[in-house]
PDB file of all heavy atoms in Angstrom:
ATOM      1  N   HIS A 191      52.386  -0.468  75.177  1.00  0.00           N
ATOM      2  CA  HIS A 191      53.629  -0.901  74.534  1.00  0.00           C
ATOM      3  C   HIS A 191      54.837  -1.120  75.490  1.00  0.00           C
ATOM      4  O   HIS A 191      55.781  -1.733  75.089  1.00  0.00           O
ATOM      5  CB  HIS A 191      54.092   0.065  73.480  1.00  0.00           C
ATOM      6  CG  HIS A 191      53.112   0.122  72.290  1.00  0.00           C
ATOM      7  ND1 HIS A 191      53.097  -0.801  71.314  1.00  0.00           N
ATOM      8  CD2 HIS A 191      52.080   0.994  72.030  1.00  0.00           C
ATOM      9  CE1 HIS A 191      52.173  -0.514  70.416  1.00  0.00           C
ATOM     10  NE2 HIS A 191      51.482   0.526  70.938  1.00  0.00           N
ATOM     11  N   ALA A 192      54.766  -0.458  76.721  1.00  0.00           N
ATOM     12  CA  ALA A 192      55.919  -0.628  77.650  1.00  0.00           C
ATOM     13  C   ALA A 192      55.569  -1.064  79.038  1.00  0.00           C
ATOM     14  O   ALA A 192      56.438  -1.211  79.885  1.00  0.00           O
ATOM     15  CB  ALA A 192      56.526   0.752  77.713  1.00  0.00           C
ATOM     16  N   GLY A 193      54.328  -1.305  79.331  1.00  0.00           N
ATOM     17  CA  GLY A 193      53.947  -1.789  80.669  1.00  0.00           C
ATOM     18  C   GLY A 193      54.250  -0.706  81.683  1.00  0.00           C
ATOM     19  O   GLY A 193      54.139   0.523  81.493  1.00  0.00           O
ATOM     20  N   LEU A 194      54.720  -1.171  82.798  1.00  0.00           N
ATOM     21  CA  LEU A 194      55.175  -0.257  83.910  1.00  0.00           C
ATOM     22  C   LEU A 194      56.262   0.638  83.615  1.00  0.00           C
ATOM     23  O   LEU A 194      56.462   1.716  84.296  1.00  0.00           O
ATOM     24  CB  LEU A 194      55.396  -1.044  85.196  1.00  0.00           C
ATOM     25  CG  LEU A 194      54.173  -1.777  85.801  1.00  0.00           C
ATOM     26  CD1 LEU A 194      54.559  -2.570  87.081  1.00  0.00           C
ATOM     27  CD2 LEU A 194      53.112  -0.701  86.137  1.00  0.00           C
ATOM     28  N   LEU A 195      57.016   0.300  82.521  1.00  0.00           N
ATOM     29  CA  LEU A 195      58.095   1.266  82.139  1.00  0.00           C
ATOM     30  C   LEU A 195      57.484   2.666  81.709  1.00  0.00           C
ATOM     31  O   LEU A 195      58.240   3.654  81.640  1.00  0.00           O
ATOM     32  CB  LEU A 195      58.941   0.718  81.029  1.00  0.00           C
ATOM     33  CG  LEU A 195      59.831  -0.489  81.393  1.00  0.00           C
ATOM     34  CD1 LEU A 195      60.424  -1.040  80.186  1.00  0.00           C
ATOM     35  CD2 LEU A 195      60.765  -0.119  82.392  1.00  0.00           C
ATOM     36  N   ALA A 196      56.237   2.667  81.454  1.00  0.00           N
ATOM     37  CA  ALA A 196      55.551   3.954  81.115  1.00  0.00           C
ATOM     38  C   ALA A 196      55.732   5.031  82.215  1.00  0.00           C
ATOM     39  O   ALA A 196      55.754   6.179  81.964  1.00  0.00           O
ATOM     40  CB  ALA A 196      54.040   3.734  80.930  1.00  0.00           C
ATOM     41  N   LEU A 197      55.893   4.539  83.502  1.00  0.00           N
ATOM     42  CA  LEU A 197      56.181   5.416  84.553  1.00  0.00           C
ATOM     43  C   LEU A 197      57.416   6.315  84.329  1.00  0.00           C
ATOM     44  O   LEU A 197      57.449   7.445  84.823  1.00  0.00           O
ATOM     45  CB  LEU A 197      56.302   4.709  85.906  1.00  0.00           C
ATOM     46  CG  LEU A 197      55.066   4.013  86.315  1.00  0.00           C
ATOM     47  CD1 LEU A 197      55.360   3.115  87.524  1.00  0.00           C
ATOM     48  CD2 LEU A 197      53.896   4.961  86.629  1.00  0.00           C
ATOM     49  N   LEU A 198      58.381   5.798  83.577  1.00  0.00           N
ATOM     50  CA  LEU A 198      59.576   6.647  83.223  1.00  0.00           C
ATOM     51  C   LEU A 198      59.312   7.908  82.446  1.00  0.00           C
ATOM     52  O   LEU A 198      60.036   8.899  82.505  1.00  0.00           O
ATOM     53  CB  LEU A 198      60.571   5.823  82.517  1.00  0.00           C
ATOM     54  CG  LEU A 198      61.166   4.574  83.186  1.00  0.00           C
ATOM     55  CD1 LEU A 198      61.932   3.760  82.214  1.00  0.00           C
ATOM     56  CD2 LEU A 198      62.052   5.038  84.491  1.00  0.00           C
ATOM     57  N   SER A 199      58.138   7.879  81.760  1.00  0.00           N
ATOM     58  CA  SER A 199      57.845   9.109  80.990  1.00  0.00           C
ATOM     59  C   SER A 199      57.133  10.245  81.798  1.00  0.00           C
ATOM     60  O   SER A 199      57.031  11.350  81.226  1.00  0.00           O
ATOM     61  CB  SER A 199      56.781   8.701  79.827  1.00  0.00           C
ATOM     62  OG  SER A 199      55.530   8.375  80.419  1.00  0.00           O
ATOM     63  N   LEU A 200      56.726  10.066  82.990  1.00  0.00           N
ATOM     64  CA  LEU A 200      56.100  11.024  83.776  1.00  0.00           C
ATOM     65  C   LEU A 200      56.753  12.323  83.932  1.00  0.00           C
ATOM     66  O   LEU A 200      56.197  13.427  83.741  1.00  0.00           O
ATOM     67  CB  LEU A 200      55.672  10.484  85.162  1.00  0.00           C
ATOM     68  CG  LEU A 200      54.543   9.385  85.061  1.00  0.00           C
ATOM     69  CD1 LEU A 200      54.315   8.913  86.429  1.00  0.00           C
ATOM     70  CD2 LEU A 200      53.350   9.904  84.346  1.00  0.00           C
ATOM     71  N   PRO A 201      58.135  12.342  84.160  1.00  0.00           N
ATOM     72  CA  PRO A 201      58.819  13.703  84.292  1.00  0.00           C
ATOM     73  C   PRO A 201      58.644  14.478  82.940  1.00  0.00           C
ATOM     74  O   PRO A 201      58.592  15.744  82.909  1.00  0.00           O
ATOM     75  CB  PRO A 201      60.228  13.297  84.572  1.00  0.00           C
ATOM     76  CG  PRO A 201      60.174  12.008  85.250  1.00  0.00           C
ATOM     77  CD  PRO A 201      59.029  11.267  84.578  1.00  0.00           C
ATOM     78  N   VAL A 202      58.904  13.837  81.771  1.00  0.00           N
ATOM     79  CA  VAL A 202      58.819  14.466  80.458  1.00  0.00           C
ATOM     80  C   VAL A 202      57.403  14.954  80.216  1.00  0.00           C
ATOM     81  O   VAL A 202      57.219  16.111  79.748  1.00  0.00           O
ATOM     82  CB  VAL A 202      59.410  13.614  79.367  1.00  0.00           C
ATOM     83  CG1 VAL A 202      59.203  14.243  78.016  1.00  0.00           C
ATOM     84  CG2 VAL A 202      60.737  13.173  79.596  1.00  0.00           C
ATOM     85  N   MET A 203      56.505  14.100  80.624  1.00  0.00           N
ATOM     86  CA  MET A 203      55.059  14.608  80.462  1.00  0.00           C
ATOM     87  C   MET A 203      54.753  15.804  81.254  1.00  0.00           C
ATOM     88  O   MET A 203      54.042  16.786  80.895  1.00  0.00           O
ATOM     89  CB  MET A 203      54.080  13.409  80.791  1.00  0.00           C
ATOM     90  CG  MET A 203      54.167  12.331  79.737  1.00  0.00           C
ATOM     91  SD  MET A 203      53.167  10.857  80.159  1.00  0.00           S
ATOM     92  CE  MET A 203      51.552  11.439  80.172  1.00  0.00           C
ATOM     93  N   CYS A 204      55.285  15.875  82.460  1.00  0.00           N
ATOM     94  CA  CYS A 204      55.105  17.097  83.361  1.00  0.00           C
ATOM     95  C   CYS A 204      55.793  18.296  82.688  1.00  0.00           C
ATOM     96  O   CYS A 204      55.219  19.400  82.658  1.00  0.00           O
ATOM     97  CB  CYS A 204      55.633  16.836  84.667  1.00  0.00           C
ATOM     98  SG  CYS A 204      54.658  15.646  85.668  1.00  0.00           S
ATOM     99  N   TYR A 205      57.002  18.102  82.122  1.00  0.00           N
ATOM    100  CA  TYR A 205      57.737  19.190  81.454  1.00  0.00           C
ATOM    101  C   TYR A 205      56.889  19.667  80.341  1.00  0.00           C
ATOM    102  O   TYR A 205      56.755  20.958  80.115  1.00  0.00           O
ATOM    103  CB  TYR A 205      59.074  18.674  80.998  1.00  0.00           C
ATOM    104  CG  TYR A 205      59.825  19.642  80.052  1.00  0.00           C
ATOM    105  CD1 TYR A 205      60.374  20.765  80.693  1.00  0.00           C
ATOM    106  CD2 TYR A 205      59.866  19.481  78.785  1.00  0.00           C
ATOM    107  CE1 TYR A 205      61.132  21.677  79.872  1.00  0.00           C
ATOM    108  CE2 TYR A 205      60.582  20.349  77.976  1.00  0.00           C
ATOM    109  CZ  TYR A 205      61.222  21.473  78.542  1.00  0.00           C
ATOM    110  OH  TYR A 205      61.824  22.362  77.789  1.00  0.00           O
ATOM    111  N   LYS A 206      56.338  18.750  79.541  1.00  0.00           N
ATOM    112  CA  LYS A 206      55.549  19.168  78.347  1.00  0.00           C
ATOM    113  C   LYS A 206      54.240  19.929  78.724  1.00  0.00           C
ATOM    114  O   LYS A 206      53.944  21.022  78.278  1.00  0.00           O
ATOM    115  CB  LYS A 206      55.015  17.943  77.670  1.00  0.00           C
ATOM    116  CG  LYS A 206      54.180  18.217  76.387  1.00  0.00           C
ATOM    117  CD  LYS A 206      53.897  16.898  75.660  1.00  0.00           C
ATOM    118  CE  LYS A 206      53.143  17.178  74.443  1.00  0.00           C
ATOM    119  NZ  LYS A 206      52.764  15.901  73.756  1.00  0.00           N
ATOM    120  N   LEU A 207      53.680  19.599  79.906  1.00  0.00           N
ATOM    121  CA  LEU A 207      52.493  20.336  80.497  1.00  0.00           C
ATOM    122  C   LEU A 207      52.967  21.803  80.791  1.00  0.00           C
ATOM    123  O   LEU A 207      52.240  22.679  80.494  1.00  0.00           O
ATOM    124  CB  LEU A 207      52.020  19.668  81.643  1.00  0.00           C
ATOM    125  CG  LEU A 207      50.772  20.222  82.406  1.00  0.00           C
ATOM    126  CD1 LEU A 207      49.618  20.229  81.433  1.00  0.00           C
ATOM    127  CD2 LEU A 207      50.522  19.502  83.708  1.00  0.00           C
ATOM    128  N   ILE A 208      54.165  21.978  81.364  1.00  0.00           N
ATOM    129  CA  ILE A 208      54.504  23.284  81.680  1.00  0.00           C
ATOM    130  C   ILE A 208      54.901  24.033  80.549  1.00  0.00           C
ATOM    131  O   ILE A 208      54.509  25.306  80.359  1.00  0.00           O
ATOM    132  CB  ILE A 208      55.857  23.158  82.629  1.00  0.00           C
ATOM    133  CG1 ILE A 208      55.439  22.532  84.006  1.00  0.00           C
ATOM    134  CG2 ILE A 208      56.465  24.528  82.811  1.00  0.00           C
ATOM    135  CD1 ILE A 208      56.525  22.172  84.883  1.00  0.00           C
TER     136      ILE A 208
END
Side-chain angles (χ1 to χ4, degrees):
H191 293 281
L194 291 177
L195 292 175
L197 296 171
L198 296 172
S199 71
L200 290 176
V202 174
M203 290 172 67
C204 291
Y205 172 77
K206 182 177 180 180
L207 180 65
I208 292 166

